[in-house]
Amino acid sequence: MKILLFGGSGMVGRELAVALVRHRVVAPLHAQVDIADADAVEQVVAEEKPNFVINAAALIDVGALERVP
């Protein structure tokens, strides 16, 4: 099974990748795919053709969240 994992380099994503070791996990870096860009996400999904998509991405900069109007 092929799984597209966003946030694979984060704490939750790394644990998921370990737990899913029996499957083919594709985990693009944020520099490769910005999940806030719908077109970029659609493109990588179309290219990879995964069976499942998991979004484990998170923003951990609390200060940035507090600055959002």
Side-chain angles (χ1 to χ4, degrees), residues 3-23:
I3 299 169
L4 180 58
L5 173 62
F6 293 108
S9 62
M11 291 172 28
V12 173
R14 286 192 306 262
E15 292 300 319
L16 280 170
V18 169
L20 298 168
V21 70
R22 292 184 178 181
H23 304 283

Side-chain angles (χ1 to χ4, degrees), residues 19-36:
L20 298 168
V21 70
R22 292 184 178 181
H23 304 283
R24 181 165 178 229
V25 176
V26 176
L29 299 173
H30 174 73
Q32 296 169 308
V33 182
D34 179 1
I35 64 163

